[in-house]
Amino acid sequence: MPFALRPAVLRERDFRRFFTGYATSLLGSSMASVALAFAVLEHGGGTELGLVLTARILPLVLVLLAGGVLSDRWGSRRVMLTADVIRCLTQGGLALTLLGGAPHLGTLVALVVVWGAAEALFTPALDALVPRIVRGDALSDGNALLGVARSAASVAGPALAGVLTATAGAATVFAVDAASYAVSVVALLLLPRTAGGAGPGTSFLTDLREGWAEFRSRTWLWVTSLHVCLFNLLVWAPFLVLGPLVAQRRLGGAASWGLVMAVYGAGAVAGGAAMLGRRPRRPLFVATAATVGWALPSAALASGWPLPWVCAGALAAGVGSAVCGTLYATVTQSQVPPGTVARVSAYGAFGAFALGPVGLAAAGPLAVLLGTTGVLGFGALWQLAAVAAVLTLPVIRAAPTADATGPAWSCEDAP
């Protein structure tokens, strides 16, 4: 792309450096997730795979709040560097473990636990870093481009991992992922240092309480987190569990389901690209309205519609996901003081995803009791009703007190 045609945010050196490293590590991570599943299944079965996947998911939830505290206390760049160094080492360890033949399940679980914990450290620090390396008027574009990178990696990574795992083995994929984290480490080292915001001598619990006070004092924050939490529990988790079952029964099997998820990722890429340069006056209203798209793929499956309509629903859901993700992140970064952004982000992420594992576990048994159509149909109707209810709230319909295109706090306000 000619330099003059790039989004303005890519002309900022610090963001450009970070984006390069982050996008590289995202691609490696999306490849590693697929390779991990194949590596476990090669030497075990579904029980072992479930144990390993749980070992990665649980630390993501349990360590999030600690990650928010540490990021605000030590500085987001320092925590992200630590997390990426750890992830580089764990992926290298997984590569060596798989090269040695049949891996010991305990070794895999231990490495995956550390991998998930490091990811939980990185996640809230990311939200705190972006407003420090992006000018206020380009903040939305920065979040949009990061979302595009995540979505593109979710499409390209599994495809590349499948080919590489089949030809060179899962160990090679983990070695590539370790190298991708090394690239991210270099990019972070080139960024200016970020100061922590927690006061001297404060305890961990005090920092947690301060973050909680900031989170609950903003109605739109806990409302949108609750909205996403119930979506993950009632809509997305059943879709991920029962969607493949429906695809196997009447849509053509695994290839059809892969197409649905690929179209979802493509929609997210398109939605993120469409947000570049756009600054809606009421970003929370637009973000919440966009989540209507989340109901469509479940509705298409529950209605017995053919594959093209399911793909169309997945496309709309992907677009909506990118739009709401970009705007929610931008408003949070604009309205929350930089010394507490990581903690507030951690509370939001914890609330949004805490019940996701419950939904995944309950979807199958509920489908036996209520039928697959009943569970998916309820999820679609719930999402439509939830969006309508949230949009009635004045705090969601109103424009933020500060322009969402620029932060209400500047880096100079940070301690």
Side-chain angles (χ1 to χ4, degrees), residues 32 48 64 74 134 152 167 179 181 192 203 228 241-242 252 259 305 334 342 365 373 396 405:
E48 289 80 6
L64 266 173
W74 295 346
V134 177
T167 57
Y181 282 123
S203 68
V228 177
V241 173
L242 303 179
L259 177 62
W305 291 349
S334 300
T373 297
I396 299 297
T405 64

Side-chain angles (χ1 to χ4, degrees), residues 136-141 143 278-284 326-327 329-335 399-408:
D137 58 352
L139 186 58
S140 180
D141 285 353
N143 286 314
R278 286 174 170 78
R279 310 285 189 273
R281 188 174 64 85
R282 296 187 295 170
L284 292 174
T326 296
L327 294 177
T330 301
V331 175
T332 300
Q333 294 160 352
S334 300
Q335 298 299 304
T401 54
D403 183 0
T405 64

Side-chain angles (χ1 to χ4, degrees), residues 106-129:
T107 303
L108 285 180
V109 168
L111 288 170
V112 169
V113 164
V114 177
W115 179 16
E119 194 166 340
L121 292 177
F122 187 94
T123 299
L126 173 62
D127 282 341
L129 178 73

Side-chain angles (χ1 to χ4, degrees), residues 17-383:
R17 287 173 172 172
F18 172 72
F19 181 78
T20 300
Y22 181 61
T24 302
S25 66
L26 282 173
L27 183 61
S29 296
S30 62
M31 294 170 62
S33 298
V34 175
L36 179 65
F38 279 109
V40 175
L41 290 175
E42 183 179 354
H43 302 285
T47 300
E48 289 80 6
L49 179 58
L51 177 61
V52 172
L53 293 180
T54 301
R56 185 185 178 194
I57 292 171
L58 280 180
L60 277 171
V61 177
L62 298 178
V63 184
L64 266 173
L65 297 181
V69 170
L70 294 176
S71 298
D72 283 335
R73 176 175 291 203
W74 295 346
S76 50
R77 172 181 172 273
R78 181 178 177 184
V79 171
M80 293 166 78
L81 271 170
T82 301
D84 274 354
V85 168
I86 292 173
R87 290 192 287 183
C88 180
L89 294 175
T90 59
Q91 303 312 82
L94 285 166
L96 292 174
T97 299
L98 294 174
L99 281 175
H104 189 275
L105 182 61
T107 303
L108 285 180
V109 168
L111 288 170
V112 169
V113 164
V114 177
W115 179 16
E119 194 166 340
L121 292 177
F122 187 94
T123 299
L126 173 62
D127 282 341
L129 178 73
V130 174
R132 295 179 181 272
I133 61 174
V134 177
R135 291 196 308 269
D137 58 352
L139 186 58
S140 180
D141 285 353
N143 286 314
L145 279 175
L146 294 176
V148 167
R150 286 189 288 269
S151 302
S154 71
V155 176
L160 291 173
V163 174
L164 195 56
T165 301
T167 57
T172 301
V173 177
F174 282 110
V176 170
D177 191 24
S180 76
Y181 282 123
V183 173
S184 182
V185 167
V186 172
L188 287 166
L189 286 172
L190 294 174
L191 298 182
R193 294 184 179 181
T194 57
T202 57
S203 68
F204 185 87
L205 289 178
T206 298
D207 290 345
L208 274 180
R209 285 195 295 267
E210 289 178 354
W212 173 247
E214 289 286 347
F215 178 80
R216 68 181 177 86
S217 68
R218 292 166 170 81
T219 302
W220 60 269
L221 259 175
W222 63 260
V223 165
T224 54
S225 294
L226 179 61
H227 175 51
V228 177
C229 175
L230 294 176
F231 155 74
N232 280 318
L233 173 66
L234 301 173
V235 185
W236 196 241
F239 174 75
L240 293 178
V241 173
L242 303 179
L245 180 62
V246 176
Q248 185 179 37
R249 288 176 177 174
R250 65 174 184 82
L251 296 179
S256 297
W257 183 246
L259 177 62
V260 170
M261 298 309 294
V263 170
Y264 174 84
V269 172
M275 288 304 299
L276 294 173
R278 286 174 170 78
R279 310 285 189 273
R281 188 174 64 85
R282 296 187 295 170
L284 292 174
F285 182 89
V286 174
T288 303
T291 64
V292 166
W294 290 346
L296 300 182
S298 292
L301 290 173
S303 301
W305 291 349
L307 180 61
W309 285 105
V310 178
C311 288
L315 181 70
V319 172
S321 178
V323 171
C324 76
T326 296
L327 294 177
Y328 282 160
T330 301
V331 175
T332 300
Q333 294 160 352
S334 300
Q335 298 299 304
V336 176
T340 59
V341 169
R343 279 170 287 174
V344 168
S345 174
Y347 274 112
F350 181 84
F353 298 110
L355 296 182
V358 177
L360 292 171
L366 284 175
V368 173
L369 293 175
L370 305 175
T372 299
T373 297
V375 175
L376 292 171
F378 174 81
L381 291 174
W382 168 267
Q383 184 62 20

